[in-house]
């Protein structure tokens, strides 16, 4: 049973937190979400509300869409990734 990225939400969050060198306690303090809830989410014991997940993700340079689009354990794409030039990599002229 796999809901579009929900089955590995805990792994995704833990990977993101560790990539940024944060403890659960530090993330809890930054996000205003309890350390206990972050622990439960990472262990896939509970699912956060969208509001709680947004508060947690606001602690990182990543939005909801990128959080779910990035495979667990990998770094999220840079929000300012170079797309290959002013035409988005398309060098053809009109």
């Amino acid at each position: 049973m796999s809901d579009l990225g929900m089955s590995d939400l805990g792994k995704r969050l833990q990977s993101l937190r560790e990539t940024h060198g944060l403890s659960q306690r530090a993330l809890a303090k930054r996000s205003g979400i309890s350390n206990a809830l972050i622990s439960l989410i990472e262990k896939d014991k509970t699912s956060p509300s969208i509001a709680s997940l947004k508060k947690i993700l606001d602690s990182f340079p990543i939005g909801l869409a990128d959080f779910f689009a990035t495979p667990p354990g990998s770094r999220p794409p840079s929000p300012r990734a170079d797309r290959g030039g002013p035409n988005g990599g398309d060098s053809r002229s009109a």
Side-chain angles (χ1 to χ4, degrees), residues 27-29 31-35 37-38 41 51-53 55-56:
L27 177 56
K29 188 172 183 177
S31 65
I33 301 295
S34 75
N35 183 43
L37 180 57
I38 291 172
I41 293 166
S52 292
L53 184 58
K55 283 183 181 182
I56 293 167

Side-chain angles (χ1 to χ4, degrees), residues 76-90:
S78 170
R80 295 181 185 174
D82 183 28
R83 302 276 184 214
N87 296 325
D90 188 355

